[in-house]
Amino acid sequence: MFCCLNQIAYYVGLFVIGLVAVKFGFYVQRNFFRKGYDVHERYGKDSWILITGATAGIGLSLAKYSAKVKGLNVVLLGRNQEKLEEAEKEVKAANPKIKTKTYKFDFNNNSGYESYLKISEDLRDLDISMLVNNAGYMDLRPILTLKEEVMEQVTQTNINGLSLLTLIFAKRFAKRDKRSAIVNVASQAGYAPLPGNAHYGASKAFVRSLTKAVGYELRDKLDMLCFSPGFVTTAMTINKTGPDVVTSDDCCHCIFRDLGYETENQPSTLHEFVVFLVSPVLLINENLPNLVLSPMMGQEFKRMEDLRNKEK
Ligand SMILES: NC(=O)c1ccc[n+]([C@@H]2O[C@H](COP(=O)([O-])OP(=O)(O)OC[C@H]3O[C@@H](n4cnc5c(N)ncnc54)[C@H](OP(=O)(O)O)[C@@H]3O)[C@@H](O)[C@H]2O)c1
Ligand SMILES: *[C@@H]1O[C@H](CO)[C@@H](O)[C@H](O)[C@H]1NC(C)=O
Ligand SMILES: *[C@@H]1O[C@H](CO)[C@@H](O)[C@H](O)[C@H]1NC(C)=O
């Protein structure tokens, strides 16, 4: 009996070590050797990238990076005209040679298909080859204190708007000769049910599922990437900082590096490691991560409430 158990443990151990070694190999390859595709070659010379929520945070960083490092023309979509103009100036300054355009649009009061289709129609003269569904909203709090209108905003922006734009641009991109790309910004909040931030977490689980399913269906024409960072220092987190937090500028390089190679990625080694740890725990029991996540969201809520109260 003991001999068998020993042997089983031995082979299970070997299997796990093998898996970890393969994972680590991919990690090294991705982070130290991968160059990323030449976007002009792959998606079309002098084509445009359309970024939603480009007035702040990750969207603004990505707009500047796309212009400066990738030489892409940029459409910035946002809901605030002044912020859009300010952001456009920053993008122009990052690379005066590229073209820019702004598009004012608020996901909160545009729920219908027609208003999203109009975005694509208004931009029909631009050879858009990349869409980044980045606009998102979060109000991290216990469900009983979540206002219904905020819940609707999160649904409109994170789920409805993202879905419709994915559909409209997938159809548009299917007609291009070259390949095209859609990057949907999800979050680590979408990996496991997230007590204390339940609806936002669910919206990001939706983004992860949609992006990977559509990405597989349309793999012959489209590179689809789900970008799922942990905490990022932006307005959304009220400028959260810490050893586990990355900046919005840290988010840009890995998106272009992995586009066309991966279906989902994270911006840092630590964020990758969290995913690596969470996946087997979820396999054991779906509720197990709650033991860590629930108190973590509680602390986060308290930190943000304190900051909001101080501002008042
Ligand atoms: N920060 C994090 O820790 C974190 C972690 C994982 C994933 N993410 C995701 O990353 C994405 C970007 O977030 P961020 O951290 O960069 O947040 P942010 O700094 O708050 O920026 C969000 C952007 O989306 C825009 N936006 C929000 N609601 C909108 C609406 N109804 N209509 C049009 N535009 C709207 C914002 O416009 P305004 O400037 O006008 O508000 C802003 O440009 C989101 O999808 C978020 O869920 C963030
Ligand atoms: C859309 O909603 C914003 C607030 O989110 C508001 O300021 C704006 O007036 C609304 N626009 C329309 C057309 O209802
Ligand atoms: C967050 O950081 C930005 C940029 O540094 C700053 O303009 C803003 O006032 C900060 N917000 C808070 C609440 O500290």
Side-chain angles (χ1 to χ4, degrees), residues 79 106 108-109 153:
R79 57 181 163 179
D106 190 334
N108 288 339
N109 33 31
Q153 279 177 29

Side-chain angles (χ1 to χ4, degrees), residues 18-79:
L19 264 185
V20 172
V22 169
K23 277 264 182 199
F24 185 70
F26 282 122
Y27 164 83
V28 169
Q29 201 265 339
R30 182 165 60 242
N31 282 281
F32 298 101
F33 296 103
R34 182 176 292 160
K35 289 282 189 291
Y37 285 108
D38 177 331
V39 289
H40 295 273
E41 211 170 83
R42 193 168 175 84
Y43 306 124
K45 205 166 163 29
D46 298 325
S47 57
W48 290 71
I49 186 169
L50 164 60
I51 303 174
T52 70
T55 52
I58 298 170
L60 178 56
S61 285
L62 195 62
K64 289 192 276 190
Y65 186 94
S66 301
K68 186 175 180 175
V69 181
K70 297 290 160 180
L72 286 160
N73 301 313
V74 186
V75 188
L76 303 113
L77 184 146
R79 57 181 163 179

Side-chain angles (χ1 to χ4, degrees), residues 7-307:
Q7 274 188 338
I8 290 170
Y10 176 76
Y11 285 112
V12 169
L14 264 191
F15 179 72
V16 171
I17 289 170
L19 264 185
V20 172
V22 169
K23 277 264 182 199
F24 185 70
F26 282 122
Y27 164 83
V28 169
Q29 201 265 339
R30 182 165 60 242
N31 282 281
F32 298 101
F33 296 103
R34 182 176 292 160
K35 289 282 189 291
Y37 285 108
D38 177 331
V39 289
H40 295 273
E41 211 170 83
R42 193 168 175 84
Y43 306 124
K45 205 166 163 29
D46 298 325
S47 57
W48 290 71
I49 186 169
L50 164 60
I51 303 174
T52 70
T55 52
I58 298 170
L60 178 56
S61 285
L62 195 62
K64 289 192 276 190
Y65 186 94
S66 301
K68 186 175 180 175
V69 181
K70 297 290 160 180
L72 286 160
N73 301 313
V74 186
V75 188
L76 303 113
L77 184 146
R79 57 181 163 179
N80 179 310
Q81 190 59 41
E82 281 143 47
K83 277 181 155 187
L84 275 172
E85 280 163 23
E86 197 50 48
E88 186 179 33
K89 262 189 227 151
E90 288 188 40
V91 174
K92 272 261 160 64
N95 182 355
K97 286 197 211 111
I98 55 108
K99 288 179 228 136
T100 57
K101 189 174 172 66
T102 61
Y103 194 93
K104 185 168 178 290
F105 187 87
D106 190 334
F107 287 76
N108 288 339
N109 33 31
N110 285 290
S111 55
Y113 173 72
E114 296 300 327
S115 49
Y116 286 91
L117 187 63
K118 188 169 182 299
I119 299 175
S120 177
E121 282 174 350
D122 288 344
L123 300 171
R124 74 173 82 76
D125 294 337
L126 308 182
D127 181 26
I128 297 172
S129 66
M130 305 177 79
L131 164 68
V132 183
N133 278 310
N134 161 77
Y137 194 74
M138 173 178 85
D139 186 9
L140 188 162
R141 57 175 60 254
I143 193 78
L144 293 181
T145 69
L146 185 65
K147 290 206 176 78
E148 55 277 17
E149 61 266 27
V150 174
M151 188 181 234
E152 275 173 12
Q153 279 177 29
V154 170
T155 306
Q156 287 305 341
T157 309
N158 303 11
I159 299 179
N160 188 50
L162 180 139
S163 302
L164 289 170
L165 283 178
T166 298
L167 178 68
I168 288 160
F169 276 87
K171 286 180 175 170
R172 173 168 171 161
F173 289 160
K175 295 193 195 110
R176 289 185 77 237
D177 294 331
K178 285 270 186 184
R179 288 184 76 82
S180 311
I182 299 181
V183 177
N184 286 341
V185 180
S187 167
Q188 271 178 9
Y191 277 90
L194 198 59
N197 196 8
H199 183 244
Y200 175 81
S203 78
K204 294 304 186 178
F206 175 94
V207 175
R208 294 188 64 226
S209 177
L210 179 83
T211 307
K212 285 187 243 182
V214 175
Y216 191 79
E217 264 189 63
L218 304 181
R219 63 193 179 284
D220 291 340
K221 283 295 275 190
L222 270 188
D223 293 337
M224 272 188 91
L225 177 71
C226 184
F227 176 57
S228 303
F231 283 119
V232 187
T233 312
T234 66
M236 181 176 276
T237 55
I238 323 188
N239 297 348
K240 184 179 172 70
T241 55
D244 58 329
V245 185
V246 302
T247 67
S248 56
D249 286 339
D250 294 335
C251 293
C252 304
H253 168 74
C254 69
I255 291 178
F256 285 98
R257 180 194 67 197
D258 292 343
L259 193 58
Y261 289 100
E262 311 277 345
T263 55
E264 184 165 27
N265 74 347
Q266 281 81 34
S268 75
T269 300
L270 195 56
H271 288 192
E272 281 199 49
F273 191 62
V274 170
V275 171
F276 175 75
L277 288 183
V278 165
S279 312
V281 174
L282 279 170
L283 271 183
I284 297 165
N285 183 325
E286 224 188 0
N287 296 313
L288 218 49
N290 290 351
L291 297 176
V292 177
L293 293 177
S294 182
M296 195 201 240
M297 288 302 120
Q299 263 176 24
E300 213 29 50
F301 173 58
K302 194 175 170 315
R303 180 188 70 86
M304 292 173 87
E305 275 293 89
D306 287 348
L307 285 171

